[in-house]
Amino acid sequence: MTTKHHLAIAETLAKLLDSQFGIWKFKFGLDPIIGLIPWVGDFIGLGFSLYLYWISHKLHLPRRAKAQIMTNIVIDFFLHL
């Protein structure tokens, strides 16, 4: 896959999870909806996040950026458990 393809997937997935839908001016995505499913939703969200991390690795982002991404993933996962 090309860099453009990885970026397109990351952008699509980020929009779908974070801001795909809206009610009035309030935007939300599938992430909070999936998170309503006890335990399973948390792991599905973790899977999506790790996939985005994998894309960051494929795009050769700097270590510092990947470390920040992983920190955010870990914090997000444990706050939702």
Side-chain angles (χ1 to χ4, degrees):
M1 284 189 201
T2 65
T3 300
K4 284 185 178 183
H5 189 79
H6 286 302
L7 284 173
I9 291 171
E11 288 174 358
T12 301
L13 188 56
K15 182 179 179 187
L16 180 66
L17 292 173
D18 293 333
S19 62
Q20 181 68 35
F21 311 106
I23 297 176
W24 299 287
K25 291 186 179 185
F26 179 71
K27 294 272 191 181
F28 62 96
L30 287 179
D31 191 40
I33 296 168
I34 292 170
L36 293 173
I37 306 167
W39 290 91
V40 175
D42 297 326
F43 284 99
I44 291 171
L46 177 64
F48 283 131
S49 296
L50 291 175
Y51 179 68
L52 290 171
Y53 177 81
W54 177 80
I55 290 175
S56 75
H57 179 73
K58 286 296 202 178
L59 295 175
H60 305 289
L61 266 71
R63 286 184 187 180
R64 184 175 175 103
K66 289 191 285 189
Q68 184 63 53
I69 292 168
M70 187 55 71
T71 300
N72 291 342
I73 290 170
V74 169
I75 291 170
D76 182 61
F77 179 73
F78 284 108
L79 284 177
H80 286 111
L81 277 181

